[in-house]
Amino acid sequence: FKELLGTRFRAVSIMFAAVTVVTLLSWYGLGTWLPKLMQGEGTDLGNALTFALALNLGAVVGSFVTAWGGVRWGSVPTSIVAALMAGVALLTLLLDPPVAAVYLIFVIAGVGTHGTQALIIAAVASYYPDHLRGTALGWALGVGRIGAVAAPQIGGWLLAAGLGAHSNFILFGVSALISALLLTVIWQKLPVRHDAPRGPILTH
């Protein structure tokens, strides 16, 4: 950890931890609250659960699609696109689209949020030399769990405050957009080090 957070790697280590926090906040928040949010919008329980199914099907599909994109175009550029898609899709829910569009939105959200997180793991492995890779992954995922733990709590507070489903969609959508912004900074300002492996390693 002394080397990971030393002068050489400090900036990228902090950025990867931060982007994991907001990405997991979006993914775990949706996974926890989606059925309840859709019930609050007037959907019966059965249909609310099918929206959750669409989200998770998107996550499954996204694991393959974003892995392919990561190999072809690079983990970080692909994760930027995935996070941006998820953020825009979730904020589109504020326009009260028709039901068919809502299903598509949740598929895209699943692809974007889960796919982004998988690519972040691959990107972390590409930014560090071999002897730091495991510590870097542990750091990013360990700190990132703050987002996973906070998401259900914050979502619950927003509902308890009477702010409705839209407040949660704003929270999770904006979190995905922040993820895209942070990844863009990593891509533009913190290039892969010459002594680090460049190929994506897709592991959980």
Side-chain angles (χ1 to χ4, degrees):
F1 281 104
K2 182 178 180 180
E3 184 175 358
L4 188 75
L5 298 175
T7 304
R8 189 181 182 198
F9 293 107
R10 183 184 300 131
V12 72
S13 297
I14 292 173
M15 292 294 288
F16 273 128
V19 76
T20 305
V21 168
V22 291
T23 302
L24 290 182
L25 192 152
S26 184
W27 169 244
Y28 276 88
L30 283 170
T32 301
W33 285 111
L34 184 54
K36 179 68 174 179
L37 295 175
M38 298 312 295
Q39 280 188 286
E41 293 291 286
T43 305
D44 63 67
L45 179 59
N47 285 329
L49 291 174
T50 61
F51 286 125
L53 177 62
L55 176 73
N56 284 280
L57 286 175
V60 173
V61 172
S63 296
F64 292 98
V65 172
T66 55
W68 174 81
V71 171
R72 186 173 179 85
W73 292 294
S75 299
V76 177
T78 306
S79 64
I80 293 169
V81 174
L84 187 61
M85 288 173 54
V88 171
L90 289 170
L91 293 178
T92 302
L93 292 169
L94 303 179
L95 303 176
D96 295 320
V99 173
V102 174
Y103 279 107
L104 178 60
I105 285 169
F106 286 131
V107 170
I108 294 172
V111 170
T113 54
H114 189 270
T116 298
Q117 184 54 43
L119 287 170
I120 289 170
I121 294 171
V124 169
S126 298
Y127 272 72
Y128 298 88
D130 291 349
H131 70 283
L132 275 182
R133 189 184 300 173
T135 306
L137 286 168
W139 159 261
L141 292 173
V143 176
R145 290 294 160 180
I146 294 172
V149 172
Q153 297 296 325
I154 298 173
W157 291 336
L158 292 173
L159 289 176
L163 298 178
H166 281 189
S167 64
N168 274 259
F169 295 142
I170 292 171
L171 170 65
F172 305 141
V174 170
S175 294
L177 294 180
I178 292 173
S179 175
L181 177 62
L182 293 175
L183 287 162
T184 300
V185 173
I186 291 172
W187 184 40
Q188 295 294 323
K189 304 296 185 183
L190 302 169
V192 177
R193 300 199 66 84
H194 294 297
D195 58 350
R198 291 178 177 272
I201 299 173
L202 300 178
T203 59
H204 279 284

